[in-house]
Amino acid sequence: MRNLIRFLAMLFAAISLSAAMAHLLELRVKINLSKENYQVVQGIYSGWQWLGFFEIGAIILTMIWIIIDRKLKYKFSFLITGLICFILSIIVFFVFTFPTNQETLSWTNLPNNWDELRKTWEYSHAIRASLSFFGFSFLVVSILKQVHV
């Protein structure tokens, strides 16, 4: 059961990271698109809200992992740091990304301040990608620490 939890936590974190990295890697091009082209491109994200399942799952599974391995002090700081990164990523989403989605009706309606909203949306995703990367990396390090102890 212990290894299943570890595996699922890593899997959910990896899926979350892959989506976050897609946002980060496309930022350089998307940030300069015209209003019309940006709105068209944003249409590809229909259905991406399901990724929240994996983000929340990564948090819950990492919490369970911490509980299971609580006596293994050499990995606790890595696991807790990874968990904090995942939680901060969700906070960034609800403070910056989600309100932007609401204001633009998921980019189907672009108000006059659409460019400012685009920057908020794109850069909040860049921050989330960084947090997901570091969170996943801390989980990997905790596994590597186990191998070498």
Side-chain angles (χ1 to χ4, degrees), residues 56-120:
I56 299 299
I59 290 170
I60 293 168
L61 289 161
T62 302
M63 291 169 107
I64 295 169
W65 185 354
I66 290 168
I67 292 166
I68 289 172
D69 284 351
R70 67 187 171 277
K71 293 180 182 176
L72 303 175
K73 302 298 181 201
Y74 60 90
K75 66 170 29 184
F76 180 80
S77 61
F78 296 105
L79 291 173
I80 200 76
T81 304
L83 176 64
I84 290 168
C85 288
F86 297 148
I87 292 171
L88 287 173
S89 178
I90 291 290
I91 290 170
V92 169
F93 175 80
F94 281 109
V95 171
F96 297 103
T97 315
F98 184 73
T100 302
N101 287 340
Q102 295 295 321
E103 192 168 342
T104 61
L105 304 175
S106 294
W107 298 98
T108 60
N109 178 44
L110 299 186
N112 289 336
N113 66 336
W114 77 274
D115 192 46
E116 181 181 317
L117 294 170
R118 166 174 59 183
K119 289 175 185 168
T120 299

Side-chain angles (χ1 to χ4, degrees), residues 102-143:
Q102 295 295 321
E103 192 168 342
T104 61
L105 304 175
S106 294
W107 298 98
T108 60
N109 178 44
L110 299 186
N112 289 336
N113 66 336
W114 77 274
D115 192 46
E116 181 181 317
L117 294 170
R118 166 174 59 183
K119 289 175 185 168
T120 299
W121 194 89
E122 293 291 342
Y123 293 128
S124 68
H125 274 298
I127 291 166
R128 287 172 35 78
S130 299
L131 289 166
S132 293
F133 173 79
F134 287 115
F136 181 77
S137 296
F138 281 110
L139 296 188
V140 169
V141 170
S142 76
I143 292 288

